Amino acid sequence: MSVTASPSSRRPSAADAYVVCRVAVDAGDVAAHRALRRQVFVLEQQLFTGDDADVHDDDPRTVHAVGLADGEVCGAVRLYPLDEAGHEWKGDRLAVARHRRARHLGAALVRFAVRTAGERGGTRMVAHIQLPNVAFFELLGWCADGPPAPFHGVDHQLMTIPLARP
């Protein structure tokens, strides 16, 4: 497996795809990013009705990142600064196509988001994580911040990770 966001510690298999994580570069990338989020958060998880878009989608400071497997957008994550100085960032809307969920694309996207926020001057990133995914984020270096609480009607754990500047 070749992952540009970060290498995997396990041996590659023929079933693994070539994975690339990058910032969305054109309207097609953004449309695929939004379609994947709609599939996961509106249709599968029913966290939102109709669409999951909000004010952050149109904010020019928001970074829409995509994860491609064999050239197909199969993952998405959104990140944006929470303060004017750009020190604290939020990662959200991590979505991976169902058929790619066991192939490390989610981990590659999280690592890409953390690195990207750090490269843009961030010192800390936060995210609201659905409770079944907390252990996954802990393996990636994230720490719980307070007790779980409802977020979009479902219990989430606020988590944080320090960001490294290049």
Side-chain angles (χ1 to χ4, degrees):
M1 175 170 95
S2 178
V3 178
T4 60
S6 66
S8 173
S9 59
R10 70 175 181 81
R11 281 195 153 317
S13 73
D16 287 326
Y18 181 74
V19 173
V20 174
C21 295
R22 61 173 167 76
V23 173
V25 294
D26 58 28
D29 278 353
V30 173
H33 181 277
R34 296 288 303 278
L36 184 57
R37 286 175 26 194
R38 184 176 186 283
Q39 176 64 39
V40 172
F41 298 116
V42 176
L43 301 177
E44 289 178 22
Q45 296 182 4
Q46 298 179 345
L47 290 176
F48 302 93
T49 302
D51 195 5
D52 73 320
D54 63 20
V55 297
H56 299 292
D57 284 305
D58 296 324
D59 186 329
R61 301 176 311 154
T62 297
V63 178
H64 296 89
V66 293
L68 294 93
D70 289 335
E72 175 190 6
V73 174
C74 295
V77 67
R78 178 176 81 168
L79 55 147
Y80 48 89
L82 292 173
D83 57 12
E84 286 302 317
H87 295 299
E88 185 166 61
W89 283 70
K90 183 167 187 183
D92 69 9
R93 304 296 204 272
L94 174 66
V96 176
R98 186 181 299 274
H99 69 284
R100 296 289 184 183
R101 291 186 187 152
R103 303 275 168 78
H104 303 283
L105 181 55
L109 279 163
V110 171
R111 289 182 181 114
F112 179 82
V114 167
R115 186 176 66 246
T116 300
E119 289 171 350
R120 292 174 184 228
T123 58
R124 177 179 183 252
M125 182 176 254
V126 298
H128 286 93
I129 308 302
Q130 293 181 33
L131 298 185
N133 299 323
V134 168
F136 167 75
F137 275 79
E138 288 173 335
L139 287 171
L140 296 173
W142 292 69
C143 296
D145 186 359
F151 186 69
H152 296 294
V154 175
D155 280 347
H156 281 67
Q157 175 64 59
L158 182 63
M159 299 191 81
T160 184
I161 191 167
L163 302 176
R165 292 189 180 182

